[in-house]
């Protein structure tokens, strides 16, 4: 996507901890070092946990606004109050414009594509648990308004896999791209996912090792019940201080959080050699072909 209308494609990417980065295109497939996107007040834009980004003119003013999907919250957008060549984004995100009684949209990524062939880009959204939903654009192409969603794919469900297995269905955290992959004139779905596989990491435990593992797991649960709430509170305080630019205070919260984790980390270190099963995370890309619509058969009446 050409972020600043200079004729060269740029790259915009989200991150796990809400920040959004711009890599300006230099031409020839090369990019400049990343830039942290900031709002009009100079603060980092926050798009949500594991944010993904798209650019689209949402309000028919000729520039590109910033759309953000994420794993835990609703999809929102930041209005571009600058220009097409020099984008500047509002500090506060906005909810998507929806048709009456259409609800809100949540999802892990957003894809704009004319799914129904009416000349206006609709919204197709992936999700944390594998659903893919289509939201028809009932407004204009450059000033969309979205109808209630229709499921293209339901939740895929859990599939237990061992290392080396090939999955039979897509997994979670799905990211969607609409594209005519087989060149038949109909948009298809390319879908990326996340899946976990297991593998045998060591021989079976001895009786002594089983006893030790049970003891350590009981201790771990006791420490968790006492400390996890406080650790999460410190994490929230850390991010608030970081976002406000209070770096010294943020460092203190992070250090306090690390101190509280020390007993947990000590037990994890003892448990690690006692685990007989390991886990690996993989991702696959799936191709879903859009089938032609069945012909309408008219019956003659007398």
């Amino acid at each position: 996507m050409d972020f600043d209308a200079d004729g060269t494609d740029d790259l915009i990417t989200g991150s796990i901890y809400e920040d959004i980065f711009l890599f300006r295109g230099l031409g020839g497939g090369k990019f400049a070092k990343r830039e942290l996107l900031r709002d009009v007040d100079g603060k980092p834009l926050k798009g949500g946990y594991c944010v993904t980004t798209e650019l689209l003119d949402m309000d028919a003013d000729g520039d590109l606004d910033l759309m953000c999907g994420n794993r835990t919250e609703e999809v929102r957008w930041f209005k571009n109050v600058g220009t097409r060549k020099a984008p500047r984004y509002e500090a506060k995100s906005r909810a998507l414009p929806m048709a009456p009684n259409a609800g809100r949209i949540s999802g892990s990524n957003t894809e704009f594509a004319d799914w129904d062939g009416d000349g206006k880009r609709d919204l197709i959204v992936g999700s944390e648990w594998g659903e893919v939903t289509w939201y028809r654009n009932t407004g204009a192409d450059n000033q969309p308004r979205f109808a209630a969603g229709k499921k293209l794919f339901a939740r895929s469900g859990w599939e237990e896999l061992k290392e080396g297995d090939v999955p039979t269905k897509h997994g979670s955290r799905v990211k969607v791209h609409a594209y005519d992959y087989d060149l038949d004139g109909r948009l298809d779905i390319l879908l990326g996912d996340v899946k976990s596989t297991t593998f045998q990491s060591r021989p079976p435990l001895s009786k002594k090792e089983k006893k030790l593992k049970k003891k350590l797991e009981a201790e771990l649960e006791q420490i968790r019940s006492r400390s996890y709430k406080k650790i999460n509170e410190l994490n929230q305080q850390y991010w608030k201080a970081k976002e406000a630019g209070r770096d010294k205070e943020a460092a203190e919260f992070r250090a306090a959080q690390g101190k509280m984790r020390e007993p947990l980390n000590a037990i994890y270190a003892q448990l690690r050699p006692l685990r007989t099963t390991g886990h690996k995370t993989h991702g696959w890309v799936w191709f879903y072909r859009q089938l032609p619509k069945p012909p309408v058969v008219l019956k003659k009446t007398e």
Side-chain angles (χ1 to χ4, degrees):
M1 173 65 73
D2 188 356
F3 177 76
D4 50 9
D6 64 353
T8 303
D9 282 342
D10 309 296
L11 178 64
I12 299 179
T13 179
S15 65
I16 185 172
Y17 292 123
E18 301 193 71
D19 290 325
I20 301 168
F21 297 97
L22 167 67
F23 296 81
R24 293 187 186 273
L26 302 176
K30 296 181 179 180
F31 295 88
K33 291 183 178 180
R34 72 179 190 182
E35 302 174 29
L36 180 63
L37 284 189
R38 299 179 180 274
D39 61 30
V40 291
D41 298 326
K43 296 180 179 179
L45 287 169
K46 296 296 180 182
Y49 181 59
C50 291
V51 57
T52 59
T53 58
E54 292 286 342
L55 294 173
L56 186 78
D57 187 1
M58 291 288 294
D59 48 10
D61 63 356
D63 59 30
L64 295 179
D65 305 297
L66 179 64
M67 180 81 68
C68 294
N70 63 82
R71 285 179 58 186
T72 58
E73 303 169 20
E74 71 178 62
V75 177
R76 300 183 67 84
W77 66 287
F78 291 91
K79 178 178 172 59
N80 182 359
V81 293
T83 65
R84 178 66 182 88
K85 292 186 176 181
R88 298 176 69 239
Y89 297 103
E90 289 182 334
K92 188 174 181 180
S93 63
R94 303 184 179 204
L96 294 183
M98 304 298 295
N101 303 315
R104 294 295 183 194
I105 298 176
S106 297
S108 58
N109 92 303
T110 56
E111 168 75 353
F112 291 98
D114 183 9
W115 187 250
D116 57 356
D118 66 353
K120 298 178 293 186
R121 281 171 289 186
D122 308 305
L123 182 60
I124 303 173
V125 180
S127 70
E128 175 70 6
W129 300 112
E131 304 106 322
V132 175
T133 307
W134 164 51
Y135 298 88
R136 184 171 181 268
N137 181 2
T138 62
D141 187 56
N142 63 351
Q143 196 167 16
R145 183 172 299 275
F146 301 108
K150 293 184 178 180
K151 285 284 189 298
L152 299 181
F153 306 127
R155 286 194 178 197
S156 52
W158 172 254
E159 183 178 18
E160 186 172 345
L161 298 171
K162 293 182 179 179
E163 184 66 11
D165 289 348
V166 176
T168 61
K169 55 187 177 181
H170 71 257
S172 60
R173 305 182 199 173
V174 295
K175 306 296 188 290
V176 180
H177 180 58
Y179 178 74
D180 184 5
Y181 187 77
D182 53 3
L183 303 177
D184 65 353
R186 292 182 295 271
L187 288 178
D188 307 302
I189 293 290
L190 294 178
L191 183 150
D193 71 357
V194 169
K195 276 185 174 286
S196 179
T197 62
T198 61
F199 62 94
Q200 200 70 21
S201 60
R202 55 152 290 165
L205 299 178
S206 66
K207 289 183 178 180
K208 183 178 179 180
E209 288 173 324
K210 288 179 180 178
K211 185 177 180 180
L212 175 60
K213 183 181 179 184
K214 185 175 181 180
K215 174 178 174 290
L216 290 171
E217 287 175 340
E219 292 178 7
L220 182 64
E221 187 57 36
Q222 288 179 355
I223 297 174
R224 276 177 172 169
S225 63
R226 294 196 307 265
S227 61
Y228 256 40
K229 182 178 179 181
K230 182 60 179 178
I231 288 174
N232 289 332
E233 288 175 356
L234 286 169
N235 191 53
Q236 292 173 4
Q237 291 171 320
Y238 164 79
W239 283 109
K240 286 181 180 179
K242 183 177 174 63
E243 291 171 6
R246 303 192 302 270
D247 293 338
K248 183 179 179 180
E249 186 179 347
E252 291 172 353
F253 285 131
R254 182 62 91 200
Q257 190 181 35
K259 191 72 175 175
M260 289 201 70
R261 284 186 180 275
E262 287 179 0
L264 290 166
N265 292 338
I267 294 181
Y268 283 134
Q270 296 178 74
L271 277 172
R272 201 166 291 119
L274 301 175
R275 290 176 177 163
T276 58
T277 302
H279 298 269
K280 288 185 178 180
T281 300
H282 294 277
W284 278 266
V285 177
W286 301 78
F287 164 48
Y288 287 95
R289 177 182 288 110
Q290 184 177 177
L291 300 176
K293 295 179 180 179
V296 176
V297 179
L298 300 178
K299 292 184 178 180
K300 183 178 179 181
T301 58
E302 296 181 6

